[in-house]
Amino acid sequence: MSSSQNIYLEKTPNQPKHIGIIMDGNGRWAKLRGKRRIFGHEAGVLKARELVETAVRIELEALTLYAFSSENWSRPKKEISGLMSLFEKTIEKYTSLLIDNNVRFKTAGDPSMLPKILKRKLEQMESITSENTGLKLTLAIAYGGQQDIINGIKCLIDDHENQVIDINTMTVESFEEYLSFKDLPKLDLIIRTSGETRLSNFMLWQSAYSEIHFTETLWPNFEEQEFLEILQSYSQSERRFGNIDEDIELKEA
Ligand code: IPE
Ligand code: IPE
Ligand code: MG
């Protein structure tokens, strides 16, 4: 048993405001059990549900879950259609859970290639939960960080041409208004499961100063305890944002 068992079952000081999770490793988890990949995705959904409940309990402000990347469209048709119908079932199954927990649900990504029914269900879930004031849950679905930036630039050029804004006065903050996640707190922490040490096109702009935690754990095996330990380690990290530690300045004076 870990020494930090049950350290952190409610909100603590220095807790991140916004966490993004790259939920990776479902396919390998299923393969280890001699099962089809979709079995791993189903187990992954249950894990995501658990994590949302933990996030609500610790009063996290924002949680973004990476469910399907722009590049995942290149997977075999069978896996894509399995995932799409799983997303659809999941939305249906968990709508009341989100309402009961005061969760505000949104999506990020390009919905144009999503099946119509799924698109409609996602929109319904956004609208039903839009007045909720608790956890801000975002599902990154058919999402790519590069595509989001390009989309933002296109909108920006439109606004410039229509004289809504002047590109020459653009700042980091004003550009963010053209990107997904604009109404969320800064992305403090990214967690990626499954041992891969890359971002795979996840929140490229927003991750500029995020802490990044990589774990070998496959997503369906990711337990609340490990999540809480990662939060504890985050609370001890020193985030300098390009500045220096004040103690160093004093010692050198
Ligand atoms: C992550 O698990 C879920 C999606 C990308 C949809 P994977 O399906 O990538 O699982 P692995 O990485 O092959 O084990
Ligand atoms: C990233 O996982 C996307 C999601 C978890 C939704 P991938 O499995 O698609 O990433 P790569 O291909 O290993 O980089
Ligand atoms: Mg993967």
Side-chain angles (χ1 to χ4, degrees):
M1 190 189 285
S2 154
S3 58
S4 49
Q5 185 92 16
N6 297 336
I7 24 152
Y8 204 123
L9 293 174
E10 52 190 41
K11 189 171 185 167
T12 63
N14 222 6
Q15 180 170 293
K17 286 197 167 100
H18 183 181
I19 301 179
I21 305 191
I22 305 174
M23 307 180 292
D24 195 19
N26 297 347
R28 277 164 282 173
W29 184 89
K31 196 172 170 208
L32 283 169
R33 283 158 182 76
K35 306 264 190 181
R36 289 179 305 129
R37 292 177 61 84
I38 194 68
F39 184 72
H41 295 313
E42 284 163 2
V45 166
L46 298 179
K47 224 10 104 167
R49 182 218 152 116
E50 272 177 44
L51 229 275
V52 168
E53 286 180 321
T54 304
V56 167
R57 206 176 66 239
I58 64 168
E59 295 177 34
L60 186 69
E61 196 173 325
L63 177 68
T64 298
L65 299 177
Y66 200 12
F68 191 86
S69 73
S70 306
E71 290 69 33
N72 289 149
W73 288 118
S74 63
R75 292 196 178 191
K77 277 203 178 73
K78 201 169 151 222
E79 179 164 356
I80 294 177
S81 64
L83 275 166
M84 295 300 143
S85 65
L86 180 62
F87 291 142
E88 212 185 294
K89 277 187 239 156
T90 304
I91 298 295
E92 220 167 80
K93 193 167 155 199
Y94 293 139
T95 302
S96 56
L97 180 86
L98 297 194
I99 295 170
D100 293 348
N101 283 289
N102 195 23
V103 174
R104 192 203 70 178
F105 176 84
K106 279 197 177 184
T107 57
D110 173 7
S112 62
M113 277 162 72
L114 294 176
K116 279 204 182 65
I117 305 179
L118 174 60
K119 216 176 119 190
R120 203 175 57 236
K121 286 193 173 152
L122 290 166
E123 284 164 4
Q124 277 168 355
M125 178 96 117
E126 287 200 17
S127 109
I128 298 171
T129 63
S130 66
E131 301 294 314
N132 287 354
T133 54
L135 174 72
K136 296 178 175 96
L137 174 66
T138 308
L139 194 69
I141 182 166
Y143 169 84
Q146 292 174 326
Q147 291 79 350
D148 200 51
I149 293 170
I150 291 177
N151 185 53
I153 291 171
K154 285 182 188 162
C155 297
L156 172 73
I157 292 171
D158 272 357
D159 277 358
H160 180 73
E161 283 174 357
N162 295 324
Q163 297 181 349
V164 177
I165 53 129
D166 173 7
I167 279 178
N168 299 308
T169 62
M170 186 97 294
T171 61
V172 167
E173 287 74 24
S174 59
F175 183 61
E176 279 172 0
E177 290 299 309
Y178 290 89
L179 301 177
S180 296
F181 316 106
K182 57 173 179 260
D183 57 342
L184 297 181
K186 282 203 185 315
L187 182 65
D188 296 312
L189 172 65
I190 297 175
I191 300 171
R192 181 175 187 147
T193 56
S194 93
E196 311 298 351
T197 49
R198 53 180 173 258
L199 289 177
S200 300
N201 211 5
F202 182 60
M203 298 184 77
L204 299 183
W205 176 278
Q206 296 79 2
S207 59
Y209 272 99
S210 309
E211 298 291 311
I212 308 183
H213 185 99
F214 297 106
T215 168
E216 293 288 326
T217 308
L218 300 174
W219 175 248
N221 287 335
F222 189 70
E223 295 296 335
E224 177 178 80
Q225 185 60 31
E226 183 172 2
F227 179 64
L228 299 178
E229 284 170 8
I230 294 169
L231 293 198
Q232 193 189 33
S233 132
Y234 169 90
S235 72
Q236 282 150 14
S237 64
E238 195 191 324
R239 302 186 70 202
R240 289 187 287 275
F241 299 98
N243 205 334
I244 55 163
D245 179 341
E246 275 177 24
D247 288 348
I248 294 176
E249 203 182 355
L250 287 174
K251 272 181 216 146
E252 285 183 353

